[in-house]
Amino acid sequence: MRVLLLGAGGQVGWELQRALAPLAAITLATRQGDAGTSVDLERPEQMRDTLRRLQPEVIVNAAAFTAVDTAETDRERARTVNATSPGVLGEEAARLGALLVHYSTDYVFDGSGSAPWREDDAAAPLNVYGETKLAGEVLVRGSGCSHLIFRTSWVYATRGRNFLRTMLRLSAERETLSVVNDQHGAPTGAELIADVTAHAITALQANARLGGTYHLVAGGTTTWFDYASFIIGTASGLGHPLRLRQSALAPCSSRDFPSPARRPHNSRLSTAKLRSAFGLELPDWRSGVDRAIREICTT
Ligand SMILES: NC(=O)c1ccc[n+]([C@@H]2O[C@H](COP(=O)([O-])OP(=O)(O)OC[C@H]3O[C@@H](n4cnc5c(N)ncnc54)[C@H](OP(=O)(O)O)[C@@H]3O)[C@@H](O)[C@H]2O)c1
């Protein structure tokens, strides 16, 4: 099986390199790659030419414009990377008879209520990033290609830019810190996303009807404040040098942290469809976060 992996240097892409390795020969396509395999999602038509040349059987797109606040002012770039290019990937996958695996976000929802969002609930993004990611989903589904779209949330890894690493850094620098306590979701490890992706690709080879859109997040939910508290408590317990004590962490409201992009209050995603279709258990968010902290703090 020939797999083309886009965004291989990102949080999820990096873990996909590991998780997909036993399944296939993987070609890594990055912006920085050599001429034959370099792919820039800001240049959809060049990307189309590369796909026609490489003729992958599976395209895994972990590349995205993920700077949520910057997207508010850099709309066109966000739209090209998050919507136009995934649409072209869909068209080319349909033409090649390839499977397209694509990732989306809890930010397609407006965050109202407190019930976990299901895949078929009405999407109504609050910010440009969410709008562009939703537009990308629509184009992938509309292309008619065989696809898997995984909506995930609050992604972390031991590398890259994420809340877990930011909290460890800030806790080493500061003695007080306020963190919002009115947004609910599930921190989800890039490792888990990559492992489930590999499993789902294998399952789809045996049963093409498993294609579609799925919510893929770790089990349980929390708030950014409780997540931060868990990070600081776990790192302190491991003897990691922190200036911030867990008791000095203060909860605050989203209103206290105005940002260019509005964030949804309720990012809870129901994973019932994914678990039942693929026969999976999704571990509680704490187990993956605990593991990542141990890896960061003990190496
Ligand atoms: N991070 C989250 O909290 C979160 C939450 C929900 C959903 N998601 C979704 O999950 C997926 C993976 O996210 P992630 O956290 O792994 O993202 P990430 O760590 O920010 O990585 C994004 C990757 O996309 C690549 N990329 C960006 N623009 C590109 C372009 N024009 N051409 C080629 N590559 C480009 C980046 O390459 P460079 O290294 O060259 O910049 C990087 O490798 C995305 O679809 C994202 O929307 C993420």
Side-chain angles (χ1 to χ4, degrees), residues 41-122:
L41 276 75
E42 284 180 49
R43 296 182 169 77
E45 291 309 318
Q46 273 181 24
M47 184 182 74
R48 192 191 296 279
D49 293 342
T50 306
L51 288 165
R52 290 191 179 182
R53 197 161 22 77
L54 295 174
Q55 305 217 326
E57 292 160 295
V58 179
I59 303 164
V60 182
N61 178 31
F65 188 108
T66 54
V68 175
D69 287 320
T70 311
E72 295 295 309
T73 47
D74 208 352
R75 284 170 176 263
E76 278 319 304
R77 203 138 63 98
R79 181 163 293 280
T80 305
V81 174
N82 290 344
T84 311
S85 277
V88 168
L89 291 176
E91 286 166 19
E92 292 306 308
R95 191 169 171 272
L96 290 164
L99 165 67
L100 172 61
V101 182
H102 182 66
Y103 299 92
S104 189
T105 169
D106 52 310
Y107 282 15
V108 300
F109 295 116
D110 67 9
S112 55
S114 57
W117 295 97
R118 291 157 39 119
E119 286 79 355
D120 50 3
D121 284 334

Side-chain angles (χ1 to χ4, degrees), residues 7 9-12 31-32 39-42 62-64 66 81 103-106 129 133 152-155:
Q11 300 189 87
V12 173
R31 291 192 258 210
Q32 300 82 10
V39 165
D40 184 350
L41 276 75
E42 284 180 49
T66 54
V81 174
Y103 299 92
S104 189
T105 169
D106 52 310
Y129 168 75
K133 292 296 291 184
T152 188
S153 73
W154 299 20
V155 177

